[in-house]
Amino acid sequence: MSASLKGSSEVSNASLIHSLRAIVGARHVLTKPSATYRFRKGFRFGMGDVVAVLQPGSLVELWRAAKLCAETGRIIIMQAANTGLTGGSTPDGNDYDRDVVIISTNRLDGIHLIGEGKQVVCLPGSTLHDLEEKLAAIGREPHSVIGSSCIGASVLGGVSNNSGGALVQRGPAFTEMALFGQMGEDGKLHLVNHLGIRIEGNPEQVLAAVQAGQLPENAIDWKAGRGHDENYATHVRDVDADTPARFNADPNRWYEAAGCAGKLVVFAVRLDTFEANKNPGVFYIGTNNTSDLEDLRRHVLTHFDELPIAGEYLHRDAFNIAEKYGKDTFAVIRYFGTKYLPMFFSMKSRFDVFAQRLPFLSDHFSDLAMQFLSRFLPKQLPQRMCDYRDRFEHHLMLKVSAHMTAPVRAYLEQWASSTGGAFFECTPDEGTRAFLHRFAAAGAAVRYRAVHTKTAEDIVALDVALRRNDREWFEVLPKEIEDRIIVKLYYGHFFCHVMHQDYVIKKGYNAMKVEHDMLPGLDARGARYPAEHNVGHLYKAPEEMVEHYRSLDPCNCFNPGIGLATKKRNWVAESV
């Protein structure tokens, strides 16, 4: 143990909380279980106790609070929007060897355009929705658009976890330029400025300047590093490669803040932006033959000069479950936009806390109430989509640029005439609703489980990166596994061969055991997992990934236990 951390237990929690209140303000240090619940409970998985949840209002406050917590021996879990699907931004149980503090960065929103908007510097609380909105005003787009932005995901969360997103051309979120705090082996938190922007002063002066957007053009090094993975467009076209296009354990996309998974205190990242596509075309495609859909994928990736914008797959069962159990989410986004969705999630969480105090109410009362109310909403899906649901098992939503629309239409006409498939070209409204329905599927299994507690035990949620040359991409489970499942939801980013696979497990079966029984089958197929939601507390990280985390955080002070690694200080083995 480093000298500076010896005796850190002498700093009591009461004393720590008093000092933290002096740093961030008493109202932004939450300690009551009811107040911390929505931060301690993961979107899908994860739950544990904490000493406090902090909500700093400036980068300087974040620096001071993180420094105090880390250097007095507390575990820090950095949290942005808490939209992760593998429990990686919440505590995992109560078997830590030190007290846990969550630092929420939601108040630290801020986006600074540089180079006339060709790049951005994003603060920890900036959301994808905010970034989309700010860039839309100048005709540009961020690395990721619709998808996680629907539920308020943060820009830094995506970078920290190499999140992939739906856009075929851009690959996982990645940058080599960041400003972050890192614990050294001396037990001190050090500020590292690799933004590629020269800023003079001590750490607090640097952080204050970045927050204020004091980033003069003559201080910017335009060759400081990459702001996205520009090689991905070529990489994904290699449809004969025997490896996946993208997955979290790919060391080629780890670089300091990129892929750090909360092992650093990231204050800002610098990213590339992209020219917005005007008047894109959207095609809705249906087939009952998976090999026909794979032929389509391979042709589009290899025979056009330009890559499609997005290509999202949805199985009929996922279509049906999302139509019923994602209807209210769909309606909220359609009528109010993504901007207000985090507020609705917060309200739901607060209501759940209230309901827990009333023993006669179900633990899932808010879900039950919203599901009941959703029955009174008007039909949300276009009739042509519903007709295709009745006709076809497999659905693909293909979005292309205006320039690419005519040649893709011609190809699809040829494809449909030679297969049993069909397609229609969406109106702008149909296209928006088609993609929105696809993303509503991501939360539908959670609602299904909440509504069907008498028959549903739990959920297994996998995001799987298939080999780029895998023609047998649609999963067929052994009967002994199939018999333990109520419903399967298959959806994903088809052109990248990244599939999201949610399984609702029958009552009485252990979901973790079912998942472990599934994994050898995926291994045999050469698949890698997780593909884009990172290991969190659900997946075992490969040793190379654990070594990467150890190099970033030698004291294991930040987010310990991810990847099912040890939770103990200094990476001491659990058995010691």
Side-chain angles (χ1 to χ4, degrees), residues 219-296:
I220 299 174
D221 178 1
W222 295 106
K223 297 181 180 179
R226 294 181 295 161
H228 80 288
D229 180 8
E230 71 277 5
N231 298 319
Y232 186 77
T234 301
H235 182 73
V236 76
R237 282 186 184 271
D238 188 359
V239 296
D240 293 317
D242 198 35
T243 56
R246 53 182 171 94
F247 55 97
N248 287 126
D250 183 354
N252 294 315
R253 297 189 181 94
W254 300 336
Y255 194 94
E256 298 177 340
C260 73
K263 286 296 185 179
L264 301 170
V265 183
V266 184
F267 296 97
V269 294
R270 179 175 160 191
L271 300 164
D272 293 334
T273 70
F274 305 85
E275 187 175 350
N277 285 284
K278 298 178 181 178
N279 303 315
V282 176
F283 298 95
Y284 198 93
I285 301 161
T287 181
N288 290 309
N289 190 322
T290 58
S291 63
D292 288 342
L293 210 55
E294 179 62 19
D295 287 341
L296 185 155

Side-chain angles (χ1 to χ4, degrees), residues 389-438:
R389 178 264 313 280
D390 297 336
R391 292 174 58 191
F392 300 112
E393 182 179 0
H394 307 284
H395 299 233
L396 180 68
M397 287 136 273
L398 178 60
K399 180 184 289 188
V400 299
S401 69
H403 171 75
M404 199 175 173
T405 299
V408 167
R409 183 190 302 117
Y411 165 70
L412 289 176
E413 288 171 351
Q414 176 187 351
W415 174 86
S417 67
S418 61
T419 68
F423 77 96
F424 64 84
E425 191 166 351
C426 297
T427 66
D429 179 63
E430 285 176 326
T432 298
R433 292 207 229 178
F435 277 91
L436 182 50
H437 183 56
R438 151 61 188 91

Side-chain angles (χ1 to χ4, degrees), residues 279-356:
N279 303 315
V282 176
F283 298 95
Y284 198 93
I285 301 161
T287 181
N288 290 309
N289 190 322
T290 58
S291 63
D292 288 342
L293 210 55
E294 179 62 19
D295 287 341
L296 185 155
R297 169 184 169 270
R298 295 173 70 89
H299 183 95
V300 171
L301 286 177
T302 58
H303 284 73
F304 289 94
D305 294 336
E306 184 182 333
L307 284 173
I309 298 169
E312 292 297 297
Y313 168 77
L314 188 67
H315 185 264
R316 176 191 280 154
D317 291 345
F319 185 113
N320 291 333
I321 295 293
E323 182 183 22
K324 183 173 181 179
Y325 296 97
K327 187 178 182 181
D328 53 329
T329 300
F330 184 110
V332 167
I333 298 171
R334 182 184 171 203
Y335 296 134
F336 299 101
T338 62
K339 183 176 183 179
Y340 295 99
L341 205 57
M343 180 186 71
F344 283 106
F345 275 106
S346 177
M347 291 170 58
K348 177 183 180 299
S349 180
R350 293 176 190 275
F351 185 82
D352 286 339
V353 172
F354 170 76
Q356 288 175 352

